[in-house]
Each structure stands twice: as C-alpha cells, then as structure tokens.
Amino acid sequence: MQRRPTRPVPIGDITIGGGAPVSVQSMTKTPTEDIAQTVRQIERLAEAGSDITRCAVPNRKASEALDEIIRRSPIPLVADIHFDPHFALRAVESGADGVRVNPGNMPGGEGLRKFYRAAADAGIKVRIGVNSGSIRPRRGMEVIPVEDAEALARLMVDQTLSYCEAAEAEGLRNIVISMKASDVPTTLAAYRLAAGRCDYPFHVGVTAAGPPEESIVKSAVGIGALLAEGIGDTIRVSMTGSPLEEVEAGVAILEALELRRPTGAQIISCPTCARCEIDLCGLVQEVKRRLSDVKVPIKVAVMGCVVNGPGEAAESDVGIAGGRDFGFLFRGGQKVRKVAAGELADALVAEVRRICDNQG
C-alpha cells in the first residue's frame, strides 16, 4: 500500500515516519515510581513485540524515577506529561527518548517554550497530542456540544497544528502528532483531514476504547482503516486491561495488513457450519496450544470439511481438511496423505515442526 510521505522522526534506535516500518507501542500501567516493577513490565512489553513504551509521570517521585527506568529500558522510552511543563523539562534532562504533551492542559508561557527548546537541543521526539475529550469547548464546567464528528475533527486538527506551529517557533522539528477520539468516525475524520495539511508522522489510535473485547474491535476498525489508506506511522491500542494484550492486538493488526512479518504459527481456520463433522473448535485450540512455542513464520490451516477445506489448506504452508472418519494433510499446496480423524492434530503438528526444523 502507498504510505503517506512524512518527515522522519528518530526515537532511540527507531524511526517514526519517513517510510520506516509502522511501530507498535504501549504504556506501562505500574506506578512509575516503582522502578523494579515498571522496568519488568517494559521488558515484558518488549518481549511481546512493543517497539516503544511510554510511562506516565504524574508526580515528583515518578519524575525522579525516570533516570533509572530510562537507563534500564530495553526499548525507547517516552515520558507522558500533563499539566506541568517542569516535569517535561525534567524528562529531557533525564535522557528520555521522547516526551508526550498536550499543550492544551499545560499553562502557556515560558515553561512550555523552555521545554520545546530543550527538546530541540537534545534532538528528542515530542508527541503533541490532543483527544476529543480535552479539545471540546467548555463554558466553565459545562461542555459545549460540537455539531458532528467532522466539526470535532476540524477542531482537533486546527488546535493540534497551532500547537505544532508554536513548538516549531522554538526550533523543535522532531514532532509526531496524534488526534484521538473515543469513537471511530471522529478518529478517522481527524487523521484524514490532518493528512492533507502537514507532513508530521502520526501516532494513531482510538482513545479510551474500553475493555479488551470492545477495544480490539474499535482499534482494528479505526487503526486498520487508516493504515490501509497509508495513514499512520506508529500505533497504540488503548485498552482497559493488560498492556501485553495491547501490544499483541497492535502486532496482530500490522500482521493482518501485512505491514509486519508474522512470527510464529498463523492459524487459519473455518467458522464451521452444519457440514463440519469433527470437533473443529477443540482441534484448533489444541493445535494452537501445541504450536505456541513456534518462532518460525508459518501459515497453518485447520479446516473442517471438504467444501473450502482442501483449497484453504492447500494455500497455506501446511494444513489439514477434516471429515468424520478421516482428513487430508496438505503441504505446499499438495495433498500429502490421508489421516485418521483422531490423528489429525498429531500429523499436523509433526509436519509443522518438520518444516520449522528444516528452515532453522
């Protein structure tokens, strides 16, 4: 797919934008001042496939912990700062690879300008991000309704770009922007509008997307739609749950769009219907469990009948198409042999491991 051209922005040993691969990031959910716990979570996120991590810095203790966390982090670390530009400046001095700010909830003036100048001098990445909740106009405590998703998206983009203009006036060029909403239509509208108005790389996601089940759907639709249009340079799946699940979902989105090479066994299986005469759900779960340690990219089909089964199995690296009493094992598009129904999982797993051993 044709990627939207953007300026490259370095963050540690990774580049965001400029044609670089789309990166996956998440955010730690431990108390940042608990250095050991936070570092361990970052290590687990890196193992799960996260390219970048982010830590909230809500107070002085968290700010003081950054030095050690940054030193021990195996992947680039972004300090997430709200309200106090002093903490943002302190993150730069601590050696953070990047800082995330929303200038709309920070006092303007010299404090924010000083941070921009320090970030520019350090050559670090700054994400200037707004979301639909923070950008809605207010009259005191009252939120003033915005006409529709398009109007809210225009407001988000206009405000974000005005913040970027102020940052560039202080010499800052390594800017990534985000304009997230908690609904998919507004998120899509904002990023599409901004794509035609600037060359900043985009951090893409649907904010406050909910618990895992809801988040995965919203994120796959919102992030996936934009990436399919070539819009987006780094992504974060927002989820009320484990950050490891966020990373797994983000990686899965990239793999589904073939923007990241899969690692391990990719299971393809049919949804089943009245033609299925075997316990396909149980068979799929068994195969998935037994191949969970496979690190070689391999496409594995587990199909339940003779209608689409042989075709799908033959299009995979290896696969089975099952029937009531027997099924067939396929490899590289060719039927290998007939297998008794009770031996399908064993035959498939053995063939996968044989292929992986040869490739290894």
Side-chain angles (χ1 to χ4, degrees), residues 127-189:
R127 172 159 71 98
I128 294 177
V130 305
N131 58 55
S132 56
S134 69
I135 209 69
R136 290 178 184 273
R138 286 174 168 78
R139 187 181 295 112
M141 296 298 292
E142 178 189 2
V143 177
I144 301 172
V146 178
E147 183 180 348
D148 53 27
E150 291 290 338
L152 182 55
R154 284 194 298 273
L155 182 61
M156 292 168 68
V157 173
D158 288 345
Q159 193 63 69
T160 301
L161 294 183
S162 72
Y163 292 150
C164 293
E165 184 178 353
E168 292 228 30
E170 303 301 324
L172 183 64
R173 289 280 299 167
N174 288 341
I175 298 172
V176 175
I177 66 173
S178 64
M179 301 139 296
K180 301 180 182 180
S182 56
D183 66 278
V184 173
T186 305
T187 299
L188 295 178

Side-chain angles (χ1 to χ4, degrees), residues 64-146:
E64 292 172 349
L66 273 182
D67 300 70
E68 181 68 10
I69 294 171
I70 291 166
R71 187 184 69 79
R72 294 169 58 182
S73 176
I75 53 179
L77 188 138
V78 176
D80 189 276
I81 313 291
H82 291 272
F83 308 121
D84 192 339
H86 171 74
F87 287 150
L89 182 60
R90 173 74 176 79
V92 176
E93 294 169 348
S94 296
D97 299 289
V99 179
R100 184 271 171 132
V101 295
N102 180 349
N105 62 29
M106 284 189 170
E110 182 58 22
L112 192 56
R113 291 194 295 271
K114 188 175 181 180
F115 158 65
Y116 288 147
R117 292 194 294 269
D121 290 343
I124 69 169
K125 165 254 187 188
V126 173
R127 172 159 71 98
I128 294 177
V130 305
N131 58 55
S132 56
S134 69
I135 209 69
R136 290 178 184 273
R138 286 174 168 78
R139 187 181 295 112
M141 296 298 292
E142 178 189 2
V143 177
I144 301 172
V146 178

Side-chain angles (χ1 to χ4, degrees), residues 34-324:
D34 187 332
I35 295 173
Q37 190 178 355
T38 299
V39 169
R40 178 57 190 144
Q41 188 164 86
I42 293 172
E43 290 171 343
R44 294 180 66 196
L45 289 170
E47 292 166 2
S50 183
D51 302 298
I52 301 165
T53 194
R54 184 158 43 110
C55 294
V57 185
N59 52 48
R60 180 181 55 80
K61 287 185 178 179
S63 177
E64 292 172 349
L66 273 182
D67 300 70
E68 181 68 10
I69 294 171
I70 291 166
R71 187 184 69 79
R72 294 169 58 182
S73 176
I75 53 179
L77 188 138
V78 176
D80 189 276
I81 313 291
H82 291 272
F83 308 121
D84 192 339
H86 171 74
F87 287 150
L89 182 60
R90 173 74 176 79
V92 176
E93 294 169 348
S94 296
D97 299 289
V99 179
R100 184 271 171 132
V101 295
N102 180 349
N105 62 29
M106 284 189 170
E110 182 58 22
L112 192 56
R113 291 194 295 271
K114 188 175 181 180
F115 158 65
Y116 288 147
R117 292 194 294 269
D121 290 343
I124 69 169
K125 165 254 187 188
V126 173
R127 172 159 71 98
I128 294 177
V130 305
N131 58 55
S132 56
S134 69
I135 209 69
R136 290 178 184 273
R138 286 174 168 78
R139 187 181 295 112
M141 296 298 292
E142 178 189 2
V143 177
I144 301 172
V146 178
E147 183 180 348
D148 53 27
E150 291 290 338
L152 182 55
R154 284 194 298 273
L155 182 61
M156 292 168 68
V157 173
D158 288 345
Q159 193 63 69
T160 301
L161 294 183
S162 72
Y163 292 150
C164 293
E165 184 178 353
E168 292 228 30
E170 303 301 324
L172 183 64
R173 289 280 299 167
N174 288 341
I175 298 172
V176 175
I177 66 173
S178 64
M179 301 139 296
K180 301 180 182 180
S182 56
D183 66 278
V184 173
T186 305
T187 299
L188 295 178
Y191 282 103
R192 286 167 175 162
L193 178 61
R197 294 181 54 182
C198 68
D199 71 342
Y200 298 117
F202 289 166
H203 171 116
V204 172
V206 179
T207 193
E213 297 83 358
E214 288 84 349
S215 170
I216 287 173
V217 173
K218 283 185 178 181
S219 299
V221 173
I223 297 173
L226 291 169
L227 291 176
E229 297 172 19
I231 297 173
D233 305 282
T234 185
I235 66 171
R236 190 261 175 118
V237 173
S238 171
M239 185 182 292
T240 308
S242 166
L244 298 176
E245 290 186 67
E246 293 184 349
V247 172
E248 290 165 1
V251 169
I253 290 170
L254 295 187
E255 290 181 353
L257 289 165
E258 299 184 356
L259 289 171
R260 178 176 286 204
R261 189 168 183 249
T263 57
Q266 180 184 0
I267 307 293
I268 298 168
S269 59
C270 65
T272 78
C273 68
R275 287 186 292 269
C276 184
E277 297 181 299
I278 60 174
D279 177 17
L280 190 69
C281 293
L283 182 59
V284 168
Q285 290 305 313
E286 180 181 356
V287 169
K288 183 176 180 180
R289 176 182 59 79
R290 291 173 63 179
L291 297 180
S292 61
D293 62 330
V294 171
K295 303 303 181 185
V296 176
I298 185 168
K299 189 179 292 186
V300 180
V302 185
M303 309 301 293
C305 78
V306 297
V307 175
N308 294 318
E312 295 290 348
E315 289 177 2
S316 302
D317 296 307
V318 61
I320 51 174
R324 177 186 298 175

